[in-house]
Amino acid sequence: MSAVPSRRIPRLVAALALLAAAPAAAQTLNGDPEKVQLVTSDIPRFWQAYDGATLVNAAERFQRMYIDPGSPGVQGFVPGRIGSGRALAATVAARPRFYAAIRAATLAVDTASSVKARIRAGLRQFKALYPEARFPDVYFVIGRINSGGTAGDAGLYIGTEMFALGPDTPLDELGAWERAVVTTREVLPHIVLHELVHFQQPPDSTARTLLARALREGTADFVGQLASGGTFNTAQQAYGDAHEAALWAEFREAMRGTDVSRWMYQGEKATDRPADLGYYVGSRIAKAYYDRAADKRAALRDLLTTTDAEAILRASGYEELMARKAGR
């Protein structure tokens, strides 16, 4: 099966979409994964602020010693994630044993060459899969256990505290969603590649329907997995594999609407099943499209640059595939 017909996604339009997606700090982009800076200096800076912090001075110390002098990654992680020194101090104070336990694991991202080597290998594989790739720098920061990562103007920002779980890390201070999503640093290459895919995509403002949003996130999961060899959305994948037909039947009824509350960005609101199962459905559509395409590079280009989720769904054959499975 060929990629989406050019009349639907002209190559010029796709190229312009990619340019439109490029962040303001375009000078940090390059086509060489070897030139990507993996910036970990914010991790020891956090622990310097943490040491000596008390209930009285913690907010001031985190603001003055960590946030204000922080890298562009910290600055990009402040809106909607870190918030402020006061907000960060409150999170640390509410989970003192958790933060104390993750110190060594987070610092190892700064000092252990093996972690960075695996990330670099994933970047190289992404370049091999998608030669048009553009690479921003990657910033590893410490936040408030509310975000694994995002793509922003200066690059990719990774919430390292979400990937610092060890065999003895206490979890009783965490909420149900936090316990479900915190994991080990072995998963870091997967989240980095997921966010790198987002960096190639058109702005997320172009994704309005549930289908468009799910395909955007699902493409990041699927292509990130091709490049890194794994996924950080393990709970969604396990549940989805066991309930794919039922999920698709439910998703299909809602996919052309704009209410994503049962499928995306749920956090603690999901109680009866894993949060964010729209990622799973989107990844299955993206995989079906890629598997069906004769030209894999063209298929990846379409997945990464499309603003027409309906065209991808039609060309993927996923709806027909699920209908056949339901008819067995």
Side-chain angles (χ1 to χ4, degrees):
M1 177 70 182
S2 62
V4 171
S6 60
R7 66 179 180 274
R8 292 199 175 273
I9 308 178
R11 296 301 179 222
L12 177 59
V13 173
L16 290 174
L18 182 59
L19 289 174
Q27 69 272 14
T28 65
L29 297 179
N30 68 86
D32 184 357
E34 306 304 327
K35 294 180 180 178
V36 173
Q37 294 187 65
L38 304 177
V39 182
T40 55
S41 55
D42 293 303
I43 296 174
R45 186 180 291 116
F46 171 88
W47 292 112
Q48 289 165 5
Y50 175 94
D51 289 336
T54 68
L55 291 176
V56 174
N57 69 10
E60 185 274 335
R61 283 181 69 87
F62 281 127
Q63 188 70 45
R64 174 175 55 83
M65 298 178 65
Y66 175 59
I67 295 175
D68 290 345
S71 74
V74 166
Q75 307 311 319
F77 222 57
V78 166
R81 289 170 173 81
I82 294 175
S84 65
R86 181 178 298 278
L88 181 58
T91 298
V92 174
R95 299 159 178 82
R97 290 184 297 110
F98 173 82
Y99 274 90
I102 66 171
R103 181 177 189 138
T106 59
L107 286 170
V109 178
D110 180 49
T111 59
S113 60
S114 62
V115 176
K116 295 179 181 177
R118 290 181 59 234
I119 293 170
R120 189 80 63 184
L123 301 180
R124 294 188 192 108
Q125 180 61 16
F126 185 66
K127 176 70 173 181
L129 291 167
Y130 185 57
E132 301 97 320
R134 291 296 178 265
F135 296 90
D137 293 332
V138 185
Y139 296 86
F140 297 87
V141 307
I142 295 183
R144 296 172 49 215
I145 329 176
N146 58 12
S147 176
T150 189
D153 286 350
L156 310 182
Y157 319 139
I158 307 300
T160 315
E161 80 284 1
M162 302 284 286
F163 306 95
L165 191 65
D168 300 319
T169 306
L171 300 178
D172 57 293
E173 298 168 334
L174 306 187
W177 177 81
E178 293 167 335
R179 290 195 301 273
V181 296
V182 294
T183 185
T184 70
R185 67 175 181 268
E186 297 303 310
V187 180
L188 279 171
H190 312 327
I191 183 65
V192 170
L193 268 295
H194 175 101
E195 297 302 336
L196 179 60
V197 172
H198 280 321
F199 213 82
Q200 319 299 313
Q201 293 174 315
D204 62 5
S205 60
T206 64
R208 301 184 183 279
T209 65
L210 170 59
L211 173 61
R213 290 183 178 276
L215 183 62
R216 178 183 177 85
E217 292 291 355
T219 293
D221 266 8
F222 170 66
V223 179
Q225 188 166 356
L226 283 180
S228 70
T231 180
F232 68 98
N233 279 329
T234 54
Q236 288 85 351
Q237 183 165 308
Y239 184 93
D241 286 347
H243 302 87
E244 185 174 7
L247 284 174
W248 170 248
E250 181 185 348
F251 182 90
R252 183 180 56 193
E253 295 301 312
M255 68 182 182
R256 292 185 174 90
T258 57
D259 181 3
V260 302
S261 60
R262 185 157 170 78
W263 297 95
M264 314 285 292
Y265 323 127
Q266 293 164 281
E268 296 281 4
K269 296 177 183 177
T271 56
D272 59 332
R273 62 188 189 182
D276 304 333
L277 285 167
Y279 285 54
Y280 175 81
V281 177
S283 72
R284 299 300 291 171
I285 295 169
K287 183 179 186 302
Y289 180 81
Y290 181 81
D291 288 348
R292 210 177 187 196
D295 185 337
K296 300 303 186 187
R297 286 188 175 179
L300 282 181
R301 187 184 305 115
D302 289 335
L303 286 170
L304 292 171
T305 62
T306 188
T307 57
D308 192 344
E310 292 279 355
I312 294 290
L313 175 60
R314 285 192 298 271
S316 72
Y318 183 72
E319 197 160 11
E320 294 84 351
L321 174 64
M322 295 310 297
R324 288 195 299 272
K325 288 184 176 180
R328 288 179 182 173

